[in-house]
Amino acid sequence: MEKSQLIIAVLFATAVLLLLAFFLLFFLVRYRTRSNQYISERENLQKEFEQILMQSQIEVQENTFAALSMELHDNIGQLLVSAKALIGVTQYNMPSPPETLNVAGETLGKAISELRSLSKLLDKEWLQQFDFIANLQAEVKRINAMQTLQVSFSHPEKLLLQPEEQIILFRIVQEAIQNSIKHSQAQQIDINVSHSVASLIVSIIDNGKGFEKDVMMSAGLGLKNMKHRTQLMGGTIEWKSSPGNGSAVMLKLPVKKSEQ
Amino acid sequence: MKTIIIVCIPPLICLLTVIIFYKKLQPKWLRLFLYLLVFILAAEIGSGLYSQYTKKSNHFIINIYLPVSFSFYFFIFFKTFETKKFKIITYTAFILYLLFCVYDIMFIEGFYYFNTYSYCLGCILIVMCCLLYFMRLFTSDMLMNYFTTPMFWITTGLLFFFAGSLVEMSLLKYMISNHLDPEGKIYQFIMVTLNILLYGAFTISFLCNHKWKKAS
């Protein structure tokens, strides 16, 4: 082989190897672009499916609540009203009714009032007539009236959320309050709602016994529902707690420009 | 002197980039490039000056410099691969390369002659690691942008450099002994081009990280 031929062969072989490397990269990048597109579409579909699933789960739950509200109001409520009427008649017919009967009558009156409040809170149609702040104020008033614990609620004048979003938020806060009452033995719950630049910040803080993070991880349906509901609105939810130091639920929801 | 300057400009630019963005480099092992590049520059300048002033072969410096840089490249592949299988392959390739280097120095080409055999083996093994890395990217089910992934650029540079230098280096001994490239122009042309590709890709890898680009 001549000198120049060998040099050409070396240059040619080097160029071929470089070209091969270039084509390999070109093919890889091209494939990845398509693959990224496919993965992105798949993830979007998955997200969409999860949202639809969550939406239908919430709808089923709302319908169950509505049915329960109707049952409380029309059936149990009526039975209690009848019982109170009977007590009233008995009180009227007795010359000196015993004190226990008077107390029973008052207790029954309170029970009817509580039942009506509860029935209203479960009724979706009723909720849609009022805004989140009014609903939560009513709920806070109802809990404070029980005198087992004190709930404070600070809020802006108006909430920048759609009515259906306000219902979802209300259910989340309701669940958080119920958790504090049932599990933490709290004496005080502070609910704070405020607006930041493009989001709504909600915090529910109690002074209860708190919990370990592991307990939280193995939590039941309630916390999962809270998480799902928050995700449905495109927000984030975070729990902060440690044994003996109470617990805090921090919610951050996006506020759309049209709502601002 | 001119050759030394030409050869040193690409790694020097690369080194300056590492120094400027040192604290922002992610993953953290990218910071090790600072030491590699200082070592490469020292070896390139040292070997160039040695041969120029003493008129002797500088191959023994290259024979020390190459195993160190090859070991570094095996190390970064080892750090990058997540699967045990790929890690074992990289580790085995590294051991095989080192053993062959020792064998080449002791029994084949010696310490004072350029070890073309071990260089070629190193080239093939690094190209193999590059292909393994690309295979991992190819089969990955994650959403990723190659152009903002530092290792993609590093591997691209290594693939071009070692695939490109394989032919020239494997025939180097033959070409020298037969005076086929007496002034070394072909060698210089290929190596300078590949150097630009290699250190250019390294420089991009230090600049491409999307996260810190957004943060700064």
Side-chain angles (χ1 to χ4, degrees):
Chain A
M1 194 183 271
E2 276 183 31
K3 184 179 167 181
S4 60
Q5 275 180 321
L6 188 83
I7 289 168
I8 290 167
V10 168
L11 287 172
F12 182 73
T14 306
V16 166
L17 281 174
L18 287 176
L19 265 176
L20 271 175
F22 175 78
F23 279 120
L24 173 79
L25 284 166
F26 178 74
F27 172 70
L28 193 74
V29 171
R30 210 177 133 94
Y31 172 81
R32 176 46 60 178
T33 313
R34 284 183 189 172
S35 180
N36 275 355
Q37 213 174 338
Y38 166 74
I39 294 167
S40 169
E41 272 173 21
R42 197 185 59 192
E43 278 178 4
N44 283 343
L45 275 173
Q46 181 74 24
K47 226 177 190 175
E48 217 172 284
F49 171 74
E50 276 172 13
Q51 284 219 332
I52 291 168
L53 193 73
M54 275 189 265
Q55 183 79 55
S56 44
Q57 275 175 347
I58 286 165
E59 269 171 25
V60 168
Q61 205 174 29
E62 291 297 343
N63 289 338
T64 314
F65 280 162
L68 194 65
S69 160
M70 204 190 284
E71 189 66 18
L72 284 173
H73 186 267
D74 298 349
N75 196 352
I76 302 168
Q78 290 310 314
L79 287 172
L80 289 176
V81 168
S82 303
K84 191 169 185 316
L86 285 172
I87 289 173
V89 170
T90 315
Q91 279 172 321
Y92 182 75
N93 288 334
M94 286 173 87
S96 54
E99 187 53 30
T100 47
L101 195 64
N102 293 336
V103 174
E106 278 170 25
T107 312
L108 210 52
K110 273 186 192 171
I112 291 166
S113 164
E114 282 287 316
L115 195 74
R116 277 185 187 149
S117 306
L118 192 66
S119 165
K120 273 183 181 178
L121 287 171
L122 293 170
D123 186 7
K124 190 179 161 189
E125 278 174 29
W126 184 85
L127 283 171
Q128 276 170 332
Q129 289 168 16
F130 295 92
D131 66 339
F132 169 83
I133 295 168
N135 284 312
L136 198 60
Q137 273 173 336
E139 177 81 342
V140 168
K141 203 176 164 189
R142 191 178 70 84
I143 297 166
N144 284 341
M146 287 194 267
Q147 294 181 338
T148 48
L149 80 165
Q150 199 59 36
V151 183
S152 74
F153 176 36
S154 63
H155 54 83
E157 216 166 286
K158 194 175 170 262
L159 211 62
L160 301 172
L161 285 177
Q162 295 290 333
E164 57 271 25
E165 288 176 323
Q166 295 201 21
I167 296 169
I168 298 174
L169 178 62
F170 182 74
R171 293 291 184 221
I172 297 169
V173 177
Q174 238 184 347
E175 184 72 43
I177 296 170
Q178 285 308 312
N179 285 342
S180 291
I181 295 172
K182 276 196 280 183
H183 307 298
S184 78
Q185 294 159 5
Q187 298 297 309
Q188 173 80 31
I189 301 174
D190 298 314
I191 305 164
N192 189 288
V193 180
S194 61
H195 283 290
S196 74
V197 184
S199 50
L200 182 79
I201 316 280
V202 182
S203 66
I204 303 117
I205 301 165
D206 70 45
N207 65 347
K209 60 181 182 180
F211 52 82
E212 292 273 13
K213 214 163 188 180
D214 297 346
V215 178
M216 162 73 214
M217 297 307 280
S218 59
L221 197 65
L223 297 191
K224 276 178 193 157
N225 269 347
M226 286 167 80
K227 207 171 177 181
H228 281 169
R229 284 172 198 269
T230 313
Q231 281 171 348
L232 191 68
M233 291 195 284
T236 54
I237 188 163
E238 209 184 330
W239 284 267
K240 287 176 185 169
S241 183
S242 62
N245 293 316
S247 59
V249 182
M250 314 299 283
L251 263 156
K252 194 176 178 185
L253 302 174
V255 176
K256 290 181 192 92
K257 274 189 180 169
S258 58
E259 290 162 353
Q260 284 182 338
Chain B
M1 197 64 183
K2 196 181 160 190
T3 317
I4 300 172
I5 293 167
I6 292 169
V7 170
C8 288
I9 286 174
L12 193 65
I13 293 170
C14 198
L15 177 67
L16 286 174
T17 315
V18 176
I19 292 168
I20 293 167
F21 297 104
Y22 185 78
K23 283 191 176 171
K24 291 175 181 175
L25 292 178
Q26 285 296 334
K28 279 193 174 173
W29 54 256
L30 275 180
R31 293 177 187 183
L32 293 174
F33 269 92
L34 175 78
Y35 308 104
L36 177 81
L37 290 164
V38 168
F39 177 74
I40 287 172
L41 277 168
E44 294 281 8
I45 296 167
S47 60
L49 290 176
Y50 177 83
S51 109
Q52 199 170 356
Y53 289 110
T54 61
K55 306 287 176 203
K56 284 180 185 172
S57 165
N58 59 8
H59 288 180
F60 73 96
I61 300 175
I62 310 288
N63 285 341
I64 298 167
Y65 146 68
L66 284 175
V68 176
S69 58
F70 271 113
S71 303
F72 180 82
Y73 299 138
F74 282 121
F75 168 75
I76 60 170
F77 279 113
F78 186 81
K79 289 288 275 182
T80 306
F81 291 141
E82 290 135 6
T83 59
K84 205 178 169 184
K85 194 176 156 189
F86 281 11
K87 274 186 187 288
I88 290 171
I89 293 173
T90 314
Y91 190 70
T92 313
F94 166 64
I95 297 292
L96 186 73
Y97 170 73
L98 276 190
L99 289 175
F100 190 78
C101 272
V102 174
Y103 182 75
D104 198 4
I105 286 171
M106 290 179 76
F107 303 108
I108 309 174
E109 292 172 298
F111 185 60
Y112 293 98
Y113 293 95
F114 181 58
N115 293 167
T116 49
Y117 297 132
S118 49
Y119 182 83
C120 289
L121 179 72
C123 277
I124 291 165
L125 293 174
I126 290 291
V127 168
M128 181 198 76
C129 287
C130 292
L131 295 178
L132 282 180
Y133 177 74
F134 287 137
M135 197 172 97
R136 192 185 73 96
L137 289 188
F138 189 79
T139 52
S140 169
D141 204 21
M142 302 244 297
L143 198 65
M144 62 164 83
N145 183 359
Y146 288 165
F147 303 122
T148 55
T149 309
M151 193 58 195
F152 171 78
W153 288 106
I154 292 169
T155 313
T156 301
L158 291 174
L159 181 71
F160 276 117
F161 185 84
F162 289 113
S165 65
L166 189 60
V167 180
E168 166 76 18
M169 285 302 188
S170 54
L171 292 172
L172 190 67
K173 206 173 235 179
Y174 178 79
M175 288 174 82
I176 291 169
S177 57
N178 289 286
H179 304 287
L180 292 175
D181 183 20
E183 290 167 29
K185 279 188 178 168
I186 304 296
Y187 173 81
Q188 263 182 38
F189 170 72
I190 292 175
M191 292 318 282
V192 168
T193 311
L194 294 177
N195 253 345
I196 292 169
L197 283 175
L198 178 72
Y199 295 109
F202 282 181
T203 308
I204 297 171
S205 81
F206 305 136
L207 297 170
C208 76
N209 202 320
H210 200 59
K211 276 180 192 165
W212 65 255
K213 245 167 75 182
K214 254 187 177 176
S216 61

Coordinates of all heavy atoms in Angstrom, one line a residue, chain A residues 56-118:
Chain A
S56 N -65.5 11.5 40.2 CA -66.7 10.6 40.4 C -66.8 10.1 41.8 O -67.9 10.0 42.4 CB -66.7 9.4 39.4 OG -65.5 8.9 39.3
Q57 N -65.6 9.8 42.5 CA -65.7 9.4 43.9 C -66.3 10.4 44.8 O -67.1 10.2 45.6 CB -64.2 9.1 44.4 CG -63.7 7.7 44.0 CD -62.3 7.5 44.4 OE1 -61.6 8.5 44.7 NE2 -61.8 6.3 44.4
I58 N -65.9 11.7 44.5 CA -66.4 12.8 45.3 C -67.9 13.0 45.0 O -68.7 13.2 45.9 CB -65.6 14.1 45.0 CG1 -64.2 14.0 45.7 CG2 -66.3 15.3 45.5 CD1 -63.2 14.9 45.3
E59 N -68.3 12.8 43.7 CA -69.7 13.0 43.4 C -70.5 11.9 44.2 O -71.6 12.2 44.7 CB -69.9 12.8 41.9 CG -69.8 14.2 41.2 CD -69.8 14.0 39.7 OE1 -70.3 13.0 39.2 OE2 -69.3 14.9 39.0
V60 N -70.0 10.7 44.2 CA -70.7 9.6 44.9 C -70.8 10.0 46.4 O -71.9 9.8 47.0 CB -70.0 8.3 44.7 CG1 -70.5 7.2 45.7 CG2 -70.1 7.8 43.3
Q61 N -69.7 10.5 46.9 CA -69.7 10.8 48.3 C -70.7 12.0 48.6 O -71.5 11.9 49.6 CB -68.3 11.3 48.7 CG -68.1 11.1 50.2 CD -66.6 11.4 50.5 OE1 -66.0 12.2 49.9 NE2 -66.2 10.8 51.6
E62 N -70.8 13.0 47.7 CA -71.7 14.1 47.9 C -73.1 13.6 47.8 O -74.0 14.1 48.6 CB -71.4 15.2 46.8 CG -70.1 15.9 46.9 CD -70.0 16.7 48.2 OE1 -71.0 17.0 48.9 OE2 -68.8 17.0 48.5
N63 N -73.4 12.7 46.9 CA -74.7 12.2 46.8 C -75.1 11.4 48.0 O -76.3 11.5 48.5 CB -74.9 11.2 45.5 CG -74.8 12.0 44.3 OD1 -75.1 13.2 44.3 ND2 -74.4 11.4 43.2
T64 N -74.2 10.6 48.6 CA -74.4 9.9 49.8 C -74.7 10.9 50.9 O -75.7 10.7 51.7 CB -73.2 9.0 50.2 OG1 -72.8 8.4 49.0 CG2 -73.5 8.0 51.3
F65 N -73.9 12.0 51.0 CA -74.2 13.0 52.0 C -75.6 13.6 51.9 O -76.3 13.8 52.8 CB -73.1 14.1 51.9 CG -71.8 13.8 52.5 CD1 -70.7 14.5 52.1 CD2 -71.6 12.8 53.4 CE1 -69.4 14.3 52.7 CE2 -70.4 12.5 54.0 CZ -69.3 13.2 53.6
A66 N -75.9 13.9 50.6 CA -77.2 14.5 50.3 C -78.4 13.6 50.8 O -79.3 14.0 51.4 CB -77.4 14.8 48.8
A67 N -78.2 12.2 50.5 CA -79.2 11.3 50.9 C -79.3 11.2 52.4 O -80.4 11.1 53.0 CB -78.9 9.9 50.3
L68 N -78.1 11.2 53.0 CA -78.1 11.1 54.5 C -78.7 12.4 55.1 O -79.4 12.3 56.1 CB -76.6 11.1 54.9 CG -76.3 10.6 56.3 CD1 -76.7 9.2 56.6 CD2 -74.8 10.8 56.6
S69 N -78.4 13.5 54.5 CA -79.0 14.8 55.0 C -80.5 14.7 54.9 O -81.2 15.1 55.9 CB -78.5 15.9 54.1 OG -79.3 17.0 54.2
M70 N -81.0 14.2 53.8 CA -82.5 14.1 53.6 C -83.1 13.2 54.7 O -84.1 13.5 55.3 CB -82.8 13.6 52.2 CG -84.2 14.0 51.7 SD -84.6 13.2 50.2 CE -83.7 14.1 49.1
E71 N -82.4 12.0 54.9 CA -82.9 11.0 55.8 C -82.9 11.6 57.3 O -83.9 11.5 58.0 CB -81.9 9.8 55.8 CG -82.4 8.6 56.6 CD -83.6 8.0 56.0 OE1 -84.0 8.2 54.8 OE2 -84.2 7.2 56.7
L72 N -81.8 12.4 57.6 CA -81.8 13.0 58.9 C -82.9 14.0 59.1 O -83.5 14.0 60.2 CB -80.4 13.7 59.1 CG -79.2 12.9 59.4 CD1 -77.9 13.8 59.4 CD2 -79.3 12.2 60.8
H73 N -83.1 14.8 58.1 CA -84.1 15.9 58.2 C -85.5 15.3 58.2 O -86.3 15.7 59.0 CB -83.9 16.9 57.1 CG -84.7 18.1 57.2 ND1 -86.0 18.2 56.5 CD2 -84.6 19.3 57.9 CE1 -86.5 19.3 56.8 NE2 -85.7 20.0 57.6
D74 N -85.8 14.5 57.2 CA -87.2 14.0 57.0 C -87.6 12.9 57.9 O -88.8 12.8 58.3 CB -87.4 13.6 55.5 CG -87.2 14.7 54.6 OD1 -87.0 15.9 55.1 OD2 -87.1 14.5 53.4
N75 N -86.7 12.1 58.3 CA -87.1 10.9 59.1 C -86.8 11.1 60.6 O -87.7 11.3 61.4 CB -86.4 9.7 58.5 CG -87.0 8.4 59.0 OD1 -87.9 8.4 59.9 ND2 -86.6 7.3 58.4
I76 N -85.4 11.1 60.9 CA -85.0 11.1 62.3 C -85.5 12.5 62.9 O -86.0 12.5 64.0 CB -83.5 10.9 62.4 CG1 -83.1 9.6 61.9 CG2 -83.1 11.0 63.9 CD1 -81.7 9.3 61.6
G77 N -85.3 13.5 62.1 CA -85.7 14.9 62.6 C -87.2 14.9 62.9 O -87.6 15.4 64.0
Q78 N -88.0 14.3 62.1 CA -89.5 14.3 62.4 C -89.8 13.5 63.6 O -90.7 13.9 64.4 CB -90.2 13.7 61.1 CG -90.2 14.6 59.9 CD -90.6 16.1 60.2 OE1 -91.6 16.3 60.9 NE2 -89.9 17.0 59.8
L79 N -89.1 12.4 63.8 CA -89.3 11.5 64.9 C -89.0 12.3 66.2 O -89.7 12.2 67.2 CB -88.5 10.3 64.9 CG -88.9 9.2 63.8 CD1 -87.9 8.1 63.7 CD2 -90.3 8.6 64.2
L80 N -87.9 13.0 66.2 CA -87.5 13.8 67.3 C -88.5 14.9 67.6 O -88.8 15.2 68.8 CB -86.0 14.4 67.1 CG -84.9 13.4 67.2 CD1 -83.6 14.1 66.8 CD2 -84.8 12.7 68.5
V81 N -88.9 15.6 66.6 CA -89.9 16.7 66.7 C -91.2 16.1 67.4 O -91.8 16.7 68.3 CB -90.2 17.3 65.4 CG1 -91.5 18.2 65.5 CG2 -89.0 18.1 64.9
S82 N -91.6 14.9 66.9 CA -92.8 14.2 67.5 C -92.5 13.9 69.0 O -93.4 14.2 69.8 CB -93.1 12.9 66.8 OG -93.3 13.1 65.4
A83 N -91.4 13.4 69.3 CA -91.0 13.1 70.7 C -91.1 14.3 71.5 O -91.6 14.3 72.7 CB -89.7 12.4 70.8
K84 N -90.5 15.5 71.0 CA -90.5 16.7 71.7 C -92.0 17.2 71.9 O -92.3 17.7 73.0 CB -89.7 17.8 71.0 CG -89.5 19.0 71.9 CD -88.4 19.9 71.3 CE -88.1 21.1 72.2 NZ -89.1 21.8 72.9
A85 N -92.8 17.0 70.9 CA -94.2 17.5 71.0 C -94.9 16.6 72.1 O -95.7 17.2 72.9 CB -94.9 17.3 69.7
L86 N -94.6 15.3 72.2 CA -95.2 14.5 73.2 C -94.8 14.9 74.6 O -95.6 14.9 75.5 CB -94.8 13.0 72.9 CG -95.5 12.3 71.7 CD1 -94.9 11.0 71.4 CD2 -97.0 12.2 72.0
I87 N -93.5 15.2 74.7 CA -93.0 15.7 76.0 C -93.7 17.0 76.4 O -94.2 17.2 77.6 CB -91.5 15.9 76.0 CG1 -90.8 14.5 76.0 CG2 -91.0 16.7 77.2 CD1 -89.3 14.6 75.8
G88 N -93.9 17.9 75.4 CA -94.6 19.1 75.6 C -96.0 18.9 76.1 O -96.5 19.5 77.1
V89 N -96.7 17.9 75.5 CA -98.1 17.6 75.8 C -98.1 17.1 77.3 O -99.0 17.4 78.1 CB -98.7 16.6 74.9 CG1 -100.0 16.0 75.3 CG2 -98.9 17.2 73.5
T90 N -97.2 16.2 77.6 CA -97.1 15.6 78.9 C -96.9 16.7 80.0 O -97.5 16.7 81.0 CB -95.9 14.5 79.0 OG1 -96.0 13.7 77.8 CG2 -96.0 13.7 80.2
Q91 N -95.9 17.6 79.6 CA -95.6 18.7 80.6 C -96.9 19.5 80.8 O -97.2 19.9 81.9 CB -94.5 19.6 80.0 CG -93.1 19.0 80.2 CD -92.1 19.9 79.5 OE1 -92.4 20.3 78.3 NE2 -91.0 20.1 80.1
Y92 N -97.7 19.7 79.7 CA -98.9 20.6 79.8 C -99.9 19.9 80.7 O -100.6 20.5 81.5 CB -99.4 20.8 78.4 CG -100.6 21.7 78.3 CD1 -100.5 23.1 78.5 CD2 -101.9 21.2 78.1 CE1 -101.6 23.9 78.5 CE2 -103.0 22.0 78.1 CZ -102.9 23.3 78.2 OH -104.0 24.1 78.2
N93 N -100.0 18.6 80.5 CA -101.1 17.8 81.3 C -100.7 17.6 82.7 O -101.6 17.3 83.5 CB -101.4 16.5 80.6 CG -102.1 16.7 79.2 OD1 -102.8 17.7 79.1 ND2 -101.9 15.8 78.3
M94 N -99.5 17.6 83.1 CA -99.1 17.3 84.5 C -99.1 18.6 85.3 O -98.6 19.6 84.8 CB -97.7 16.7 84.5 CG -97.7 15.2 84.1 SD -96.0 14.6 84.0 CE -95.8 14.1 85.7
P95 N -99.7 18.6 86.5 CA -99.7 19.8 87.3 C -98.3 20.3 87.7 O -98.0 21.5 87.5 CB -100.5 19.4 88.5 CG -100.6 17.9 88.5 CD -100.4 17.5 87.1
S96 N -97.5 19.4 88.1 CA -96.1 19.8 88.4 C -95.1 18.7 87.7 O -94.8 17.7 88.4 CB -95.8 19.8 89.9 OG -96.2 18.6 90.5
P97 N -94.8 19.0 86.5 CA -93.9 18.0 85.8 C -92.5 17.9 86.5 O -92.0 18.9 86.9 CB -93.8 18.5 84.4 CG -94.2 20.0 84.5 CD -95.1 20.1 85.6
P98 N -92.0 16.7 86.5 CA -90.7 16.5 87.2 C -89.6 17.3 86.4 O -89.7 17.5 85.2 CB -90.4 15.0 87.2 CG -91.3 14.5 86.1 CD -92.5 15.4 86.0
E99 N -88.5 17.7 87.1 CA -87.4 18.4 86.5 C -86.7 17.6 85.4 O -86.3 18.2 84.4 CB -86.4 18.8 87.6 CG -85.2 19.7 87.2 CD -85.7 21.0 86.6 OE1 -86.8 21.5 86.9 OE2 -85.0 21.5 85.7
T100 N -86.6 16.3 85.6 CA -86.0 15.5 84.6 C -86.7 15.6 83.2 O -86.1 15.5 82.2 CB -86.0 14.0 85.0 OG1 -87.3 13.6 85.5 CG2 -84.9 13.7 86.1
L101 N -88.1 15.7 83.3 CA -88.8 15.8 82.0 C -88.5 17.1 81.3 O -88.4 17.2 80.1 CB -90.3 15.7 82.4 CG -91.3 15.5 81.2 CD1 -91.0 14.1 80.6 CD2 -92.7 15.6 81.6
N102 N -88.4 18.2 82.2 CA -88.0 19.5 81.6 C -86.6 19.4 80.9 O -86.4 19.9 79.8 CB -88.0 20.6 82.7 CG -89.4 20.9 83.2 OD1 -90.4 20.6 82.6 ND2 -89.4 21.4 84.4
V103 N -85.7 18.8 81.6 CA -84.3 18.6 81.1 C -84.4 17.8 79.8 O -83.7 18.2 78.8 CB -83.4 18.0 82.1 CG1 -82.0 17.7 81.5 CG2 -83.2 18.9 83.3
A104 N -85.2 16.7 79.8 CA -85.3 15.9 78.6 C -85.9 16.7 77.5 O -85.4 16.5 76.3 CB -86.2 14.7 78.9
G105 N -86.8 17.5 77.7 CA -87.4 18.4 76.7 C -86.4 19.3 76.1 O -86.3 19.4 74.9
E106 N -85.6 19.9 77.0 CA -84.5 20.9 76.5 C -83.5 20.2 75.7 O -83.0 20.6 74.7 CB -83.9 21.6 77.7 CG -84.7 22.7 78.2 CD -84.1 23.3 79.6 OE1 -82.9 23.1 79.9 OE2 -84.9 23.8 80.3
T107 N -83.1 19.0 76.2 CA -82.1 18.2 75.5 C -82.5 17.8 74.2 O -81.8 17.9 73.2 CB -81.7 16.9 76.4 OG1 -81.5 17.3 77.7 CG2 -80.5 16.2 75.8
L108 N -83.8 17.4 74.1 CA -84.3 17.0 72.8 C -84.4 18.2 71.8 O -84.1 18.1 70.6 CB -85.8 16.5 73.0 CG -86.3 15.4 72.1 CD1 -85.3 14.3 72.0 CD2 -87.6 14.9 72.5
G109 N -84.7 19.4 72.4 CA -84.7 20.6 71.6 C -83.3 20.9 71.0 O -83.2 21.2 69.8
K110 N -82.3 20.7 71.9 CA -80.9 20.9 71.4 C -80.5 19.9 70.3 O -79.9 20.2 69.3 CB -79.9 20.7 72.6 CG -79.7 22.0 73.4 CD -78.6 21.8 74.4 CE -78.6 22.9 75.4 NZ -77.7 22.6 76.5
A111 N -81.0 18.6 70.6 CA -80.7 17.5 69.6 C -81.3 17.9 68.3 O -80.7 17.7 67.2 CB -81.2 16.2 70.1
I112 N -82.5 18.4 68.3 CA -83.2 18.7 67.0 C -82.4 19.8 66.3 O -82.2 19.8 65.1 CB -84.7 19.2 67.3 CG1 -85.5 17.9 67.7 CG2 -85.3 19.8 66.0 CD1 -86.8 18.3 68.3
S113 N -82.0 20.8 67.1 CA -81.2 21.9 66.5 C -79.9 21.5 65.9 O -79.5 21.8 64.8 CB -81.0 23.0 67.6 OG -80.0 23.9 67.2
E114 N -79.2 20.6 66.6 CA -77.9 20.0 66.2 C -78.2 19.2 64.9 O -77.4 19.3 63.9 CB -77.4 19.1 67.2 CG -76.7 19.8 68.4 CD -75.3 20.3 68.0 OE1 -74.6 19.6 67.3 OE2 -75.1 21.5 68.3
L115 N -79.2 18.5 64.9 CA -79.5 17.6 63.7 C -79.8 18.4 62.5 O -79.4 18.1 61.4 CB -80.7 16.7 64.1 CG -81.0 15.6 63.1 CD1 -80.0 14.5 63.4 CD2 -82.4 15.0 63.3
R116 N -80.5 19.6 62.7 CA -80.8 20.5 61.6 C -79.5 21.0 61.0 O -79.3 21.1 59.8 CB -81.8 21.6 62.0 CG -83.2 21.1 62.0 CD -84.2 22.2 62.3 NE -85.5 21.6 62.4 CZ -86.4 22.1 63.2 NH1 -86.1 23.1 64.0 NH2 -87.6 21.6 63.3
S117 N -78.6 21.5 61.9 CA -77.3 22.0 61.5 C -76.6 21.0 60.7 O -76.0 21.3 59.6 CB -76.5 22.5 62.6 OG -77.2 23.3 63.4
L118 N -76.5 19.8 61.2 CA -75.7 18.7 60.6 C -76.3 18.4 59.2 O -75.6 18.2 58.2 CB -75.8 17.5 61.5 CG -74.8 16.4 61.2 CD1 -73.4 16.8 61.4 CD2 -75.1 15.2 62.1

